[in-house]
Amino acid sequence: YTSFCVTAPVDPRLGSVSGQPVCGLTSLSRTANLRPLQSEIVQSSDFGKQTAINNFFGGQFTGRFVRDIRVNASVDLGQTVTDNCFVVTDPSQLIFSTVNTTTATYCHNVTPWTKNLQVKVSGSLPLVYGFTVAPTLQNLPGTAITAVWSAPNSTILGFVPQAGTNQVNLGRNIGESCNPTGACNATYAIPLIQPGTQFEPRRTQVDPRFSKTLKLPAKLRAQLNLDVYNVTNNNAVTTLNTAYSSTGATVGGTWLKPTKVLDARLLEIGARIDF
């Protein structure tokens, strides 16, 4: 393996990495890549310890007040830490995890306490003439933002190390896919944003229910319901494109383009009969 650096694209949305050298990357030489593959099974503990630790706290409140007013509330708060920073084959595994090139990430990831915070409140309030309103409110963390950049071979070769640093230019084409010299259109997947550092804004969803109770003969009781989902018509992003592109006229390409948002406001009419 040969270590190298590359200059990240200039894009303020990338944060502190924008236009800065990204080092600790490695490329397998073509000579090594052409050798026959040999497998050896050993204990995983020979390399290190892979961990996934979740520390969560939760609280719930249920109350019943005058006029049969009911309130339910819950709060969940936690921190998630995953770590697989040890070398199996590639020295860059001490920093990056690029086994899956489409979801390349860092080997050590922390989701902060506040970014796991979930607040949910529901209840019911009886009104006049048998009407009841029962709202539900959810305040949830925003979607995590990451950026996987397919760095072109030409950009990697064009890196200029800064004097007085340990920055290194690869000095050849990417070994896994190309000959050492000549034309090469290969790319190298690089995670530009440390997971757990950038997020979409928190999202709040309100879903009220309006009910009317009807007393029918022969011990029958009916309840008519009008449910309104996402009453504020919030269009918060729940899934977005994480592939960053440095080619084309648009900076970043379709990076951060939403692929899914909260469902639009929905009205649902229903009925229930008890006997």
Side-chain angles (χ1 to χ4, degrees), residues 17-263:
V17 75
S18 173
Q20 298 300 310
V22 178
C23 296
L25 306 165
T26 60
S27 175
L28 187 66
S29 68
R30 180 171 174 81
T31 302
N33 202 40
L34 292 176
R35 293 175 182 170
L37 179 64
Q38 294 181 348
S39 299
E40 182 178 358
I41 299 176
V42 298
Q43 293 290 333
S44 60
S45 58
D46 292 350
F47 301 97
K49 186 178 181 180
Q50 183 173 356
T51 60
I53 301 174
N54 297 311
N55 296 308
F56 277 82
F57 298 92
Q60 293 184 337
F61 169 82
T62 301
R64 182 174 179 178
F65 304 93
V66 294
R67 294 180 51 211
D68 199 29
I69 298 174
R70 301 170 186 257
V71 176
N72 301 294
S74 66
V75 176
D76 289 294
L77 179 69
Q79 181 192 59
T80 303
V81 181
T82 60
D83 196 316
N84 59 344
C85 299
F86 48 83
V87 176
V88 177
T89 55
D90 186 344
S92 69
Q93 291 173 330
L94 289 175
I95 303 175
F96 304 105
S97 178
T98 57
V99 175
N100 189 331
T101 57
T102 60
T103 57
T105 183
Y106 286 70
C107 66
H108 180 78
N109 300 315
V110 179
T111 303
W113 295 86
T114 56
K115 299 307 179 181
N116 279 317
L117 175 63
Q118 297 187 15
V119 179
K120 299 179 181 180
V121 180
S122 62
S124 62
L125 174 64
L127 303 175
V128 296
Y129 304 116
F131 287 94
T132 301
V133 59
T136 299
L137 180 147
Q138 301 181 74
N139 182 260
L140 305 175
T143 302
I145 295 176
T146 58
V148 180
W149 176 38
S150 295
N153 180 72
S154 57
T155 301
I156 294 173
L157 289 179
F159 175 76
V160 179
Q162 297 178 3
T165 67
N166 294 324
Q167 299 171 7
V168 181
N169 182 289
L170 180 59
R172 59 171 173 79
N173 291 328
I174 301 173
E176 295 93 328
S177 307
C178 301
N179 291 318
T181 60
C184 177
N185 296 321
T187 59
Y188 191 105
I190 301 174
L192 294 176
I193 296 178
Q194 175 84 39
T197 59
Q198 292 192 33
F199 294 84
E200 285 284 314
R202 296 184 63 85
R203 62 180 184 269
T204 300
Q205 181 175 343
V206 181
D207 307 319
R209 163 178 280 193
F210 302 92
S211 301
K212 165 66 175 175
T213 301
L214 301 174
K215 291 185 178 180
L216 304 177
K219 298 182 179 181
L220 295 178
R221 174 177 292 185
Q223 185 181 68
L224 304 179
N225 298 319
L226 172 63
D227 292 288
V228 185
Y229 299 98
N230 191 14
V231 66
T232 61
N233 211 28
N234 190 337
N235 64 345
V237 176
T238 58
T239 308
L240 46 76
N241 181 22
T242 60
Y244 190 95
S245 174
S246 59
T247 59
T250 304
V251 176
T254 58
W255 179 58
L256 297 186
K257 180 179 180 180
T259 55
K260 184 173 175 56
V261 299
L262 283 179
D263 291 335

